[in-house]
Amino acid sequence: MKKIAEVLISKKFLTAAIAILLAAMFVCEFSARRRVVSAERETYKLGTVVHITAYGSDKKALDAELDAAVNEITRLENLFSVNIASSEISKINSSDRGAGVGAETAAIITEALRIAGETDGAFDPTIEPIVKLWGIATDHPRVPGKGEIEGALPLVDYRRVSVSGGNVSKGAGQKLDLGGIAKGWIADRLSDKLRADGIKSALIDLGGNLSVVGESSERRAWRLGLQRPSSSRGEYFAIIEATDLSVVTSGPYERYFDRDGVRYHHIFDPKTGYPAESDLSSVSIVSKNSADADALCTAFFVMGLEKSVRFLKAHKDISAVLLTKDMKKVYATTNIKDKLTVEDKSMSLEFIGGRGD
Ligand code: AMP
Ligand code: MG
């Protein structure tokens, strides 16, 4: 009898102990959540709106971190911008056959040339003479004459540019434009620094070029929206769940002008010198490496659906979401099956080659 009573008491004791433990865990969890603070910066840089948010427990430290991030964007923009006369890119562009540059400029050009080679020049950082003729990002965009385009096209050829140590050499008259890769490259530097400084949760948005550090403040994967082309900002056709990843999207709707009923956009076909006549309306790449994602989605847009699908089947480590021009069909690689939700029910989804195919 005494034994049974002892067992009953110890069982009761155990239940009470577990209940107290659970309550303590709940209180700890609750106060940890309450302690989450955030810092945010929004500014106009890199020709677009830049928005960075970071979460943590020390507001002062987060503020210092984001101030440093904004300064870092300015520093890198001052190196890479084609529109800043003192940048290293302008130094190369104004020289006859090339110039000496710092390690970061050499690194981004090397990366741009690598992707140009991989995409057979669909992405080509020597596109500047064509970009300049059209002036799409300026206040005075125009449709150049056929002769002007024919005159500029021979300068567009990444194969005549090379980087050796700190020296960039190029063909006479060639000029670089890193607009298709710089945002991604800079996002990588920012997220590397935030991680190295112990930030566990941050969202870097460089004009739609997204990179996330860790999980969201709710301690789950970030839910990143893919912009519905030609709809207002923030209208998404699909959601990607991302932790420590970058999601970059390219599409003609991002920058364009209309003339005589024709829409001219900012992603050029390096083979023709005209805005690429793509059968896609947007391309998103999901990757640990935002620079590669940035350059690749520009390239895929130029390549169009069929070539992009062929490329993805041969490079199964790349994750992509392609939306057709009629916006009726979404193609996605199987390696992001568990991360992708297509929200727009008027679109059908088909998976293409990728890991697990
Ligand atoms: P994105 O917004 O990343 O697709 O890049 C578009 C920007 O990259 C343009 O505004 C140009 O500065 C540049 N660009 C346009 N066409 C190309 C191309 N085919 N290859 C490389 N850069 C390009
Ligand atoms: Mg790009």
Side-chain angles (χ1 to χ4, degrees):
M1 200 59 190
K2 196 176 162 215
K3 273 247 148 57
I4 292 172
E6 264 174 17
V7 170
L8 281 177
I9 287 167
S10 68
K11 256 195 172 171
K12 259 190 190 164
F13 177 76
L14 205 66
T15 316
I18 290 172
I20 290 168
L21 196 71
L22 284 175
M25 280 167 67
F26 178 76
V27 169
C28 283
E29 173 75 12
F30 186 69
S31 53
R33 273 173 194 245
R34 269 171 52 118
R35 264 190 278 115
V36 172
V37 290
S38 66
E40 212 171 321
R41 295 290 181 279
E42 186 171 279
T43 171
Y44 192 85
K45 293 212 174 284
L46 308 168
T48 187
V49 178
V50 163
H51 197 127
I52 313 175
T53 315
Y55 298 89
S57 53
D58 181 344
K59 172 82 172 137
K60 251 189 172 172
L62 291 177
D63 277 330
E65 201 64 50
L66 293 199
D67 286 339
V70 171
N71 288 339
E72 182 66 351
I73 298 174
T74 308
R75 187 183 71 81
L76 293 170
E77 183 171 25
N78 285 337
L79 291 179
F80 303 153
S81 175
V82 73
N83 300 318
I84 296 175
S86 57
S87 77
E88 292 201 324
I89 294 303
S90 294
K91 187 170 147 195
I92 295 168
N93 289 353
S94 60
S95 70
D96 183 30
R97 291 282 182 162
V101 294
E104 290 162 309
T105 306
I108 188 174
I109 296 172
T110 303
E111 191 59 9
L113 294 174
R114 190 178 68 74
I115 304 273
E118 270 194 13
T119 60
D120 195 21
F123 177 84
D124 192 326
T126 64
I127 197 79
E128 197 276 349
I130 294 295
V131 174
K132 183 85 175 271
L133 276 183
W134 289 85
I136 288 188
T138 71
D139 293 336
H140 306 287
R142 58 186 276 269
V143 181
K146 218 168 155 232
E148 289 178 281
I149 289 177
E150 278 165 9
L153 262 188
L155 298 171
V156 180
D157 183 359
Y158 69 94
R159 291 166 302 186
R160 287 193 280 136
V161 177
S162 62
V163 182
S164 170
N167 265 311
V168 178
S169 54
K170 59 167 192 169
Q174 283 197 296
K175 291 185 180 184
L176 302 179
D177 178 327
L178 301 178
I181 188 172
K183 291 200 287 286
W185 203 88
I186 293 170
D188 284 334
R189 300 293 79 71
L190 300 183
S191 58
D192 285 351
K193 165 100 175 22
L194 291 175
R195 269 186 211 107
D197 291 350
I199 301 294
K200 298 280 187 290
S201 175
L203 171 67
I204 300 161
D205 177 355
L206 308 182
N209 188 315
L210 305 174
S211 250
V212 298
V213 172
E215 295 182 318
S216 75
S217 58
E218 279 105 47
R219 294 190 190 166
R220 49 180 162 85
W222 292 90
R223 288 169 55 78
L224 305 178
L226 303 187
Q227 175 66 35
R228 197 173 199 289
S230 310
S231 295
S232 30
R233 280 248 170 237
E235 265 188 52
Y236 303 128
F237 73 91
I239 301 287
I240 301 273
E241 294 200 5
T243 305
D244 278 318
L245 277 177
S246 179
V247 178
V248 185
T249 300
S250 273
Y253 59 90
E254 286 174 338
R255 205 166 274 172
Y256 58 83
F257 71 100
D258 294 309
R259 189 70 32 98
D260 301 326
V262 182
R263 179 154 291 185
Y264 299 96
H265 64 79
H266 73 310
I267 303 175
F268 297 101
D269 184 337
K271 301 222 161 36
T272 65
Y274 285 85
E277 285 188 28
S278 186
D279 53 1
L280 296 171
S281 61
S282 94
V283 177
S284 301
I285 306 274
V286 182
S287 172
K288 290 258 176 220
N289 185 321
S290 194
D292 288 1
D294 190 359
L296 275 177
C297 63
T298 306
F300 282 2
F301 181 79
V302 173
M303 285 154 68
L305 180 64
E306 202 185 311
K307 273 193 185 166
S308 299
V309 167
R310 218 179 305 140
F311 190 96
L312 286 164
K313 285 185 173 167
H315 298 80
K316 299 203 173 202
D317 54 326
I318 299 172
S319 303
V321 180
L322 314 174
L323 177 61
T324 55
K325 191 171 185 176
D326 61 11
M327 301 220 283
K328 291 208 166 104
K329 193 139 190 191
V330 178
Y331 290 85
T333 50
T334 49
N335 54 16
I336 45 164
K337 211 171 202 167
D338 57 343
K339 295 192 180 84
L340 172 72
T341 314
V342 174
E343 306 256 289
D344 188 325
K345 297 303 168 210
S346 70
M347 298 173 179
S348 66
L349 172 63
E350 183 174 324
F351 285 100
I352 47 177
R355 212 176 284 141
D357 207 21

